[in-house]
Amino acid sequence: MASHHSEPLDPAADADAPSDNNPELPCPPYHIVTKPGQLPVEFLEPSAAQKLVIGFDCEGVDLCRNGALCIMQLAFPDAVYLVDAIEGGKELIQACKPRLESDHITKVIHDCKRDSEALYFQFGIKLHNVMDTQIAYSLIQEQEQEGKKKTSDDYNYISFVSLLADKRFCGILYPEKEEVRTLLRQDPNFWAIRPLSDMMVRAATDDVRFLLNIYEKMMEKLSKVSLWRLAVRSELYCRCFCLNDNQFADWSPLPPVPDDIEAAVYVPEADILSVLDVPPGKMGRVIGRKGSTIMAVKESCNVEIHIGGAKGPPDRVFIIGPVKEVRKAEAIFRGRMLEF
């Protein structure tokens, strides 16, 4: 029988485990979930009257459309729930589908693209109502650097480890993350091993337990316009690698411009997601030497550019940004693909 824990993790139990580096954020109790009934009632029965915000992440074997999802982490203010997809099977993850697609539960996650891809292709779940901290960070940077010339660093995506280290949001070091990466390189099936080791539980818990605190601090800094842009771009991140034949017609509509934004405030053009097909043998020209073409397009068009890489899809470029800037980026890439 799968275990169902409620006791706090003991940092001394495993010298290799991530320690609690922030005394204000004690390590919460955790529960290993193998049946839907072990999940909190407020998660199972979301409502407009009792909206919920949770930290969210997924772990898997080379997580993507084909890489198996093994654990789904849900962080609540009082505990972390580790939803075990190996022990609980597809039925357990399917039971979470209405909640992961719900308007009434905000899912706080750092870079949701691959998590959303795995949920969509493996379980038919269209992840919705996400607050992506990677996007939020970039929007806060934009606000604080308004009027200043952007540097090449401004076009890079912040890692979760770097976000945790930023004193504005959390201010802790997380060197143990690299230890987990080393274990994954040694054994790509690390997250599929059962029973879950103390190290696995701690690593999975640490990936979500700070997210609600980060969320609160970020929400205080974001303007109304930035909050709208965050909502739109987070939805586009969810769709990014989830290609389908109906142009996402069966996904929730993108958030409209809120009515409470003052008329005098400048509201930028809404972001879109464009998927550009790349002919065989042309991806190198699209990327450029050490990513030089992609970086140049980011800087000149002010768009986000993502490629599938080794996990795929290998023959497409994903561009997110305002319509005019996206069309400009598409034209540059098409020109590169026509070069001999």
Side-chain angles (χ1 to χ4, degrees):
M1 174 179 283
S3 55
H4 183 209
H5 302 270
S6 58
E7 67 276 5
L9 297 173
D10 178 8
D14 187 342
D16 293 328
S19 60
D20 185 11
N21 295 313
N22 191 332
E24 297 180 1
L25 296 171
C27 201
Y30 74 96
H31 305 266
I32 297 176
V33 175
T34 58
K35 298 177 182 178
Q38 295 170 329
L39 288 162
V41 174
E42 61 266 34
F43 178 76
L44 291 173
E45 300 175 7
S47 69
Q50 190 178 3
K51 292 195 174 183
L52 188 63
V53 179
I54 62 171
F56 181 72
D57 192 26
C58 298
E59 310 292 351
V61 179
D62 199 23
L63 190 68
C64 60
R65 68 186 60 199
N66 299 314
L69 188 152
C70 300
I71 301 174
M72 191 167 65
Q73 304 107 288
L74 310 174
F76 292 77
D78 57 349
V80 171
Y81 292 78
L82 305 179
V83 181
D84 191 341
I86 301 292
E87 293 290 337
K90 193 166 185 176
E91 179 184 357
L92 175 60
I93 305 301
Q94 287 288 352
C96 298
K97 176 180 167 70
R99 293 85 194 174
L100 297 179
E101 296 180 348
S102 173
D103 285 322
H104 308 317
I105 301 178
T106 299
K107 280 69 69 173
V108 184
I109 182 173
H110 189 82
D111 190 6
C112 67
K113 294 188 295 296
R114 291 299 183 188
D115 306 71
S116 180
E117 180 187 26
L119 289 167
Y120 180 67
F121 284 103
Q122 296 176 37
F123 303 99
I125 295 171
K126 296 181 280 290
L127 189 61
H128 171 59
N129 196 18
V130 161
M131 187 279 200
D132 195 304
T133 55
Q134 189 175 75
I135 302 169
Y137 180 89
S138 69
L139 291 171
I140 291 169
Q141 292 296 97
E142 277 188 34
Q143 286 182 187
E144 295 182 351
Q145 297 174 14
E146 187 175 1
K148 298 178 182 177
K149 182 176 174 60
K150 285 189 175 183
T151 67
S152 58
D153 288 341
D154 295 323
Y155 294 96
N156 293 326
Y157 308 111
I158 190 165
S159 69
F160 186 54
V161 172
S162 296
L163 177 63
L164 287 178
D166 192 317
K167 293 180 180 178
R168 294 174 298 171
F169 307 113
C170 198
I172 69 162
L173 300 178
Y174 191 8
E176 295 82 8
K177 187 72 172 178
E178 186 55 42
E179 294 179 27
V180 175
R181 290 194 183 109
T182 300
L183 290 171
L184 283 168
R185 286 192 290 268
Q186 293 171 351
D187 183 3
N189 294 310
F190 174 76
W191 286 112
I193 296 170
R194 293 297 179 274
L196 293 168
S197 67
D198 287 346
M199 178 63 174
M200 295 168 75
V201 168
R202 289 185 179 86
T205 301
D206 277 357
D207 273 356
V208 293
R209 71 185 179 103
F210 304 106
L211 285 171
L212 294 181
N213 186 64
I214 292 171
Y215 167 82
E216 290 178 2
K217 293 183 177 180
M218 285 184 156
M219 294 297 281
E220 291 173 358
K221 291 180 177 289
L222 289 160
S223 68
K224 287 183 179 179
V225 172
S226 290
L227 286 170
W228 167 64
R229 295 179 65 198
L230 170 61
V232 172
R233 192 162 288 201
S234 293
E235 291 292 323
L236 295 177
Y237 261 40
C238 288
R239 302 175 190 202
C240 188
F241 296 138
C242 300
L243 297 176
N244 62 17
D245 296 327
N246 62 6
Q247 298 296 308
F248 306 105
D250 54 340
W251 288 61
S252 296
L254 296 177
V257 179
D259 294 331
D260 61 347
I261 294 179
E262 294 81 359
V265 174
Y266 169 71
V267 179
E269 191 179 21
D271 287 340
I272 65 166
L273 167 65
S274 172
V275 182
L276 191 63
D277 291 317
V278 180
K282 296 291 185 178
M283 186 60 82
R285 291 201 170 276
V286 167
I287 296 172
R289 184 175 177 83
K290 295 183 178 180
S292 59
T293 301
I294 285 180
M295 182 56 69
V297 174
K298 282 182 184 179
E299 293 180 4
S300 65
C301 301
N302 195 25
V303 293
E304 287 194 28
I305 300 166
H306 304 281
I307 58 173
K311 292 184 179 181
D315 54 352
R316 290 182 173 90
V317 175
F318 303 85
I319 309 170
I320 296 176
V323 177
K324 290 179 182 176
E325 298 299 312
V326 168
R327 299 303 177 227
K328 182 178 167 186
E330 290 173 342
I332 294 172
F333 282 132
R334 288 195 175 101
R336 291 286 296 173
M337 288 187 284
L338 290 174
E339 294 176 3
F340 291 101

